[in-house]
Amino acid sequence: MQDLQAIVERALADLAAAPDAAALENAKARYLGRSGELTALLKRLGTLPAAERRAAGEALNAAKARLEEALARRRAELAESKMQAQLAAEALDVTLPGRGASRGGIHPVIRTWQRVEAIFRSIGFDVADGPEVETDWYNFTALNNPENHPARSMQDTFYVDLKDAQGLALLLRTHTSPMQVRYARLWVERHRGAKRMPPIKVIAPGRTYRVDSDATHSPMFHQVEGLWIDEDVSFADLKAVYTDFVRRFFETDAIEVRFRPSYFPFTEPSAEIDLQFAAGPLKGRWLEVSGAGQVHPQVVRNFGLDPERWIGFAFGSGLERLTMLRYGIDDLRLFFDGDLRFLRQFA
Ligand code: PHE
């Protein structure tokens, strides 16, 4: 029992000096654990003569209580300093200025899309929207594309591994022209039984897809389809409407518009529309921006209309093309890289 005082002093010193929780628990085990020094004294209590046992028991219990109290105190101290360290590490400097929200911008192709819509709305065109996953029928057949036309081959077209509810083959539309047929058929349906069907006058801008990829072709690109059908709309109207559009879009009259004979199964006659700027970096070159033509009688029939009575024109223009010419951009891929150094110039 003479050791008791020495043990208690050593234990108190060890507990108070434990630098962390693990060291503290080790110190506890050394004195109060199953084979701890104090525990050993307690175990020996029974071997003492009865006369000494009571005083020794009291002394041991008092010592144990002191150690337990010291242990609890040190535990609390360590927990407190751990929390203080954590608070210091995670401190927020609320006086730092904020990062601020960065300002977004409209993508140049979408800006073109919006400008085209505004120009055509101002001359009475409706704006329509339709599916990008299209049936083979709307994309090709209804547009007078013969069943075996090479444009249907896997090389040009992204086919979808599914059929629609009627079992028709599905694909990603290769142009916005199927919207001619979709819109016209709805229009005819809506005015069935009316005394006189109002003219069809619509543009349909949107995404289109082809298996194509280089500096001037991207597998996804944008077109705007135009369609005007009435009882007396002629190729001359196409020339007037498109020339007016181009001058408004490029904000200059110093532009020549050329209708160069071409071929599309869904128009007859057909033309490519070329532009030539009278000034600026593109001056003097003919640049193609659109396909166009008088809607083929078979397509008018597929609209649900009599081609002897209804006649008009359609065009399909590339929105990337128009954007590149307007801003002098020479690589189409810049539109889809997401490089902010490029995009910020249009914000
Ligand atoms: N759909 C044609 C194309 O993508 C363009 C076009 C549209 C031609 C309308 C004539 C009439 O190339």
Side-chain angles (χ1 to χ4, degrees), residues 51-164:
E52 291 172 26
R53 215 178 284 161
R54 181 188 161 103
E58 277 174 6
L60 280 172
N61 277 330
K64 190 176 174 193
R66 282 184 71 191
L67 294 198
E68 276 170 351
E69 195 205 326
L71 174 69
R73 197 181 324 118
R74 188 59 188 152
R75 270 197 189 129
E77 277 172 16
L78 287 174
E80 170 72 13
S81 64
K82 185 175 172 191
M83 187 171 74
Q84 291 301 343
Q86 198 170 342
L87 283 175
E90 290 174 1
L92 281 182
D93 183 350
V94 293
T95 64
L96 279 176
R99 284 202 188 84
S102 62
R103 199 148 57 89
I106 294 178
H107 190 279
V109 173
I110 303 303
R111 196 176 281 277
T112 293
W113 177 330
Q114 293 174 343
R115 287 172 50 76
V116 170
E117 276 193 18
I119 293 169
F120 278 99
R121 277 188 205 279
S122 79
I123 52 170
F125 278 73
D126 191 11
V127 177
D129 193 13
E132 292 168 27
V133 179
E134 186 52 282
T135 63
D136 181 270
W137 190 81
Y138 277 109
N139 195 78
F140 292 126
T141 314
L143 292 166
N144 202 33
N145 254 280
E147 292 283 346
N148 298 313
H149 194 280
R152 295 186 186 222
S153 83
M154 303 294 275
Q155 292 205 332
D156 299 314
T157 312
F158 292 108
Y159 279 88
V160 176
D161 243 357
L162 285 171
K163 308 247 178 230
D164 82 341

Side-chain angles (χ1 to χ4, degrees), residues 143 174-178 180 208 210 221 223-226 263-264 266-267 270-272 290-295 313-317:
L143 292 166
T174 57
H175 50 178
T176 42
S177 299
Q180 291 183 32
T208 49
R210 285 184 207 174
F221 59 104
Q223 285 191 335
V224 57
E225 196 76 10
Y263 171 77
F264 297 101
F266 37 95
T267 45
S270 302
E272 303 285 352
S290 188
Q294 185 168 302
V295 180
F313 66 75
F315 61 81
S317 312

